[in-house]
Amino acid sequence: MRNTASHTFGSRPPVLLGVTSLKQHLYPAACGGIHANNTSPTHYNKPPISTLKQKLTRKWPEAIRSLSDQNELVFSTGFPELDSLFPMGGIPYGQLIEITGGVSSGKTGLLFRMLSCATQNRIAAYVDFSNAFFPDAASASGLDLSRLLVIKPNVRGDDCIKNSLRTAELLLRDRNADIIVFDLVGYHRKDTLPIGLLHRLRLKTVRAKGLVIFLTQPVKTNGVSPNIIPSSMASLRLTVGRTNTNRLAISITKSRITTEGTHVEVQL
């Protein structure tokens, strides 16, 4: 009868990939020889931090953050109460963010306040699908219009949104703009945006340390309000409601960068 056991008594046991073996796998030149019995650990020259970051960012570009870059990678929302909900005291760059809310919820006011802070040393592009961008309202929120490029698509439909997503890729790649806003309040569709293009845009955003913001408004179809931004693509979703004329309630309904389910009230 054939023996199906992985090894018999007295044979050499299977080798598990431990920490030392993993180091040898990642840095064979640095580790040198590793003892078979693993009783005497091998001393090796550690690679510089820049080499380690380079290796890891190829796989997880958004995972590597240097403490010395913290101030450059985080921007204030303009609301200290909201900033305090994030571990680094603000929203980190390199994210796809969705700001959503109903009619007159204050979502656009929140967006303009965030842009006024984020564009102090960066350029933003505003893709106005809703054709509802009001320069006076943006300027009143403190937004410097000279640092804002407003793009108004002349057509609607899938081809238009696909071309806009590709254009955003080019703007981020060439560093013509660091922040891209898609005002999709007036853009109605029954399904999500093309996930393949969103994935490519997300990678470009991370590598460029930029920021992409989608402004949306839930529209019920057959009693359901579909999210046109897939949850797998957005790093953060802020849901905005108005408690009174000048006061907003902001809830973090989806997040990879802070605790979900938290909320705060701010004065607009």
Side-chain angles (χ1 to χ4, degrees), residues 8 10 19 53 56 64 84 93 112 161 193 199 219 234:
T8 59
V19 175
K53 288 178 63 177
L56 293 180
I64 304 301
S84 66
Y93 286 102
F112 286 163
I161 190 65
L193 298 184
H199 177 68
V219 178

Side-chain angles (χ1 to χ4, degrees), residues 1-5 8:
M1 181 176 178
R2 184 177 179 180
N3 186 0
T4 59
T8 59

Side-chain angles (χ1 to χ4, degrees), residues 102-160:
V103 178
S104 300
S105 61
K107 58 185 178 295
T108 304
L110 171 63
L111 170 66
F112 286 163
R113 180 72 68 87
M114 291 172 60
L115 283 179
S116 67
C117 294
T119 57
Q120 290 180 2
N121 55 358
R122 296 180 180 234
I123 300 296
Y126 194 105
V127 186
D128 186 15
F129 278 92
S130 65
N131 197 28
F133 177 78
F134 296 106
D136 291 344
S139 181
S141 298
L143 181 57
D144 184 356
L145 298 180
S146 67
R147 308 189 68 83
L148 186 68
L149 172 66
V150 179
I151 303 172
K152 292 184 176 290
N154 294 323
V155 295
R156 298 291 186 269
D158 284 347
D159 287 341
C160 183

Side-chain angles (χ1 to χ4, degrees), residues 73-86:
L73 296 180
V74 176
F75 74 93
S76 170
T77 63
F79 298 101
E81 303 94 333
L82 182 57
D83 290 340
S84 66
L85 299 182
F86 299 93

